[in-house]
Amino acid sequence: MPADIETDLLVCGGGMAGVVAATAAARAGARVLLVERWGFLGGSATAGAVGQFVGWATEAGRQVIHGMAEEVVERLDRHGGSGGHTVFTMSTGHRMDQVSYDPEVLKLVLDEMVAEAGVRPLLHATILSVEAAPRRIAAVTVLTKAGPVTIRPRLVIDSSGDLDVLARAGAEFLPLAPDEAPQPATMMFRFGPIDFATFEALTTPELQALARRGVESGALARAALHQSRIPGTDDGWFNISRVALDATDPFALSAGEMEGRRQAFSAARFLHDHVPGCGNGRLVALAAQLGIRESRRIAGDYVLTADDLRAERRFPDAIAVGAYPMDIHPAKGAGLGFETLGGDRSYEIPYRSLLPAGLDNALVAGRGISASHGAHASTRVMPTTMAVGQAAGTAAALVCAGNGGTRQLDTSLLRQRLIENRAYLPA
Ligand SMILES: Cc1cc2nc3c(=O)[nH]c(=O)nc-3n(C[C@H](O)[C@H](O)[C@H](O)COP(=O)(O)OP(=O)(O)OC[C@H]3O[C@@H](n4cnc5c(N)ncnc54)[C@H](O)[C@@H]3O)c2cc1C
């Protein structure tokens, strides 16, 4: 194992954003190394077992995410790992466009995508340290089974969710306002078998009354019985625990994992004892890790705000479109803050929100892009992180093919390349 590796592009973090970014860049001709701490790809989608992609379309049903995100769905379908697009109405009355998937099948799909594109994966590798030169990341050292390995890339995409590379490079992050807190984490758990005919016959008021009873009795931390059915099974992944924490604090994260597991078992007992259709079920599996909704957000060249989303603000350097509501799980309490854009409304994400201030050879992809707490509550969902990932990877390949930095990139060429590769970008 060489202790020193040179590459065009280093993608740090193999979640949905990182995998799509790495694949897009490799398809466009860059030499790409993809670093991931787990032994498989997918991040929150697999290790966190989220189980459903949401946020594909406007309330009126216009699909605004296509491109490689849709390719992931097509590949899942071919392997029997997803039921394709479905639409359901939430308890809030919001129309939700959803793709449920089996996280185990998704792992295989992501392996295939990176292998076919010629991405070089380095799994079981954790970011250790960063050598920062003025305005550049000169090297990233990762800890592997064979010891530390130093990677010297021309360009880095930080898609680690928590932006660990940029934190070690001394980058600046967006602060929370005094009345804001990071969204809480959730330990997803698989429960089954469920008699879905009975469970799905429960009306919204019945589900709400059951969830309230669970919260009042102390069995549930979140007033919801939200689950996504695993395609081809009688099991569902439940998203009903809630742990407030700073996910970048190692001891808080350790305590949070344990609290998440405690809540999951408590919730599973409640389902078994009180929820129609769940009487024969048990907790079958816990996600491999606590699912982190929010941690660091980069201070970028442009900070996307909630008002930009509400105003449907257009950007000349738009690289992705989103339409998902601003979905804020509060750090305290069992409720949900849910602000929909309504009608056929959608918003744009500018390339500048991927550019960390003060660095010329780094991009962010995924939930850590430069967005306010409110805007992040929408941009964080996976179809949007995949669209941003496709843009980051395509941009990185273009930058690597030229002589300039990320700020010299011709964004109209980037947009053209994205459209050629089926991304959705209005003229
Ligand atoms: C509980 C929960 C429920 C959600 N529900 C939905 C939903 O229903 N639908 C939806 O579309 N979205 C949902 N989301 C949001 C969505 O899942 C995430 O925002 C999205 O998956 C983030 O993708 P990402 O690629 O940016 O980051 P991540 O998925 O966090 O990926 C980051 C990757 O980097 C790796 N990594 C991190 N640090 C290091 C390091 N130091 N060294 C090496 N590797 C590292 C991680 O292992 C991971 O693979 C939910 C999120 C949570 C937590």
Side-chain angles (χ1 to χ4, degrees), residues 204-296:
T204 300
E206 284 170 337
L207 282 169
Q208 285 171 339
L210 278 164
R212 264 198 312 275
R213 178 174 164 195
V215 171
E216 280 158 14
S217 70
L220 298 182
R222 178 182 170 193
L225 293 174
H226 181 58
Q227 61 79 39
S228 59
R229 185 173 183 169
I230 305 169
T233 76
D234 289 327
D235 293 0
W237 283 106
F238 277 80
N239 173 351
I240 52 178
S241 68
R242 198 168 262 188
V243 182
L245 82 168
D246 171 0
T248 65
D249 173 337
F251 282 107
L253 186 58
S254 305
E257 294 278 2
M258 294 183 185
E259 172 60 14
R261 285 191 279 275
R262 187 197 68 73
Q263 287 187 19
F265 274 98
S266 165
R269 265 191 305 276
F270 179 82
L271 291 171
H272 176 276
D273 292 347
H274 300 290
V275 178
C278 296
N280 291 325
R282 65 182 176 89
L283 189 152
V284 179
L286 292 159
Q289 65 159 79
L290 194 61
I292 306 302
R293 288 189 175 81
E294 182 176 7
S295 55
R296 300 187 184 103

Side-chain angles (χ1 to χ4, degrees), residues 170-200:
E172 191 190 332
F173 299 103
L174 295 173
L176 288 160
D179 61 340
E180 293 171 350
Q183 293 204 38
T186 289
M187 176 59 75
M188 300 288 296
F189 65 91
R190 177 175 178 160
F191 183 95
I194 297 170
D195 171 358
F196 275 97
T198 304
F199 184 75
E200 286 174 351

Side-chain angles (χ1 to χ4, degrees), residues 13 17 36-38 43-44 52 54 127 160 164 291 366-367 380 382:
E36 166 56 42
R37 67 179 160 176
W38 288 103
S44 293
Q52 58 168 7
V54 294
I127 295 149
S160 66
D164 287 349
R367 65 177 165 85
R380 69 188 180 87
M382 293 187 276

Side-chain angles (χ1 to χ4, degrees), residues 80-396:
S82 130
H85 289 263
T86 54
V87 174
F88 72 95
T89 306
M90 292 181 66
S91 55
T92 53
H94 175 73
R95 176 195 179 282
M96 186 70 83
D97 218 292
Q98 179 211 37
V99 172
S100 330
Y101 63 84
D102 182 337
E104 304 307 327
V105 180
L106 181 59
K107 290 175 188 170
L108 179 71
V109 163
L110 301 180
D111 284 351
E112 287 177 356
M113 284 178 73
V114 297
E116 285 169 21
V119 172
R120 193 175 179 197
L122 184 57
L123 305 182
H124 292 299
T126 303
I127 295 149
L128 184 62
S129 60
V130 171
E131 191 184 317
R135 298 196 68 87
R136 296 192 72 249
I137 292 176
V140 175
T141 299
V142 298
L143 190 57
T144 72
K145 191 84 176 152
V149 173
T150 295
I151 301 146
R152 299 188 183 279
R154 292 179 60 193
L155 203 73
V156 177
I157 293 179
D158 192 341
S159 47
S160 66
D162 298 329
L163 305 188
D164 287 349
V165 175
L166 292 170
R168 286 164 182 64
E172 191 190 332
F173 299 103
L174 295 173
L176 288 160
D179 61 340
E180 293 171 350
Q183 293 204 38
T186 289
M187 176 59 75
M188 300 288 296
F189 65 91
R190 177 175 178 160
F191 183 95
I194 297 170
D195 171 358
F196 275 97
T198 304
F199 184 75
E200 286 174 351
L202 291 167
T203 62
T204 300
E206 284 170 337
L207 282 169
Q208 285 171 339
L210 278 164
R212 264 198 312 275
R213 178 174 164 195
V215 171
E216 280 158 14
S217 70
L220 298 182
R222 178 182 170 193
L225 293 174
H226 181 58
Q227 61 79 39
S228 59
R229 185 173 183 169
I230 305 169
T233 76
D234 289 327
D235 293 0
W237 283 106
F238 277 80
N239 173 351
I240 52 178
S241 68
R242 198 168 262 188
V243 182
L245 82 168
D246 171 0
T248 65
D249 173 337
F251 282 107
L253 186 58
S254 305
E257 294 278 2
M258 294 183 185
E259 172 60 14
R261 285 191 279 275
R262 187 197 68 73
Q263 287 187 19
F265 274 98
S266 165
R269 265 191 305 276
F270 179 82
L271 291 171
H272 176 276
D273 292 347
H274 300 290
V275 178
C278 296
N280 291 325
R282 65 182 176 89
L283 189 152
V284 179
L286 292 159
Q289 65 159 79
L290 194 61
I292 306 302
R293 288 189 175 81
E294 182 176 7
S295 55
R296 300 187 184 103
R297 289 168 289 114
I298 196 67
D301 283 12
Y302 185 83
V303 182
L304 189 71
T305 67
D307 281 343
D308 290 334
L309 272 55
R310 292 183 188 112
E312 296 185 276
R313 180 147 181 204
R314 306 289 307 269
F315 297 99
D317 60 337
I319 47 81
V321 176
Y324 188 67
M326 288 180 265
D327 173 4
I328 301 188
H329 295 243
K332 288 196 183 121
L336 190 68
F338 204 74
E339 180 182 339
T340 68
L341 302 179
D344 197 35
R345 298 163 74 82
S346 60
Y347 62 88
E348 296 186 341
I349 300 173
Y351 174 66
R352 283 163 294 155
S353 293
L354 280 51
L355 298 180
L359 286 168
D360 292 328
N361 73 334
L363 290 161
V364 174
R367 65 177 165 85
I369 63 167
S370 181
S372 70
H373 174 67
H376 161 275
S378 171
T379 59
R380 69 188 180 87
V381 289
M382 293 187 276
T384 315
T385 62
M386 285 190 267
V388 168
Q390 182 172 354
T394 307

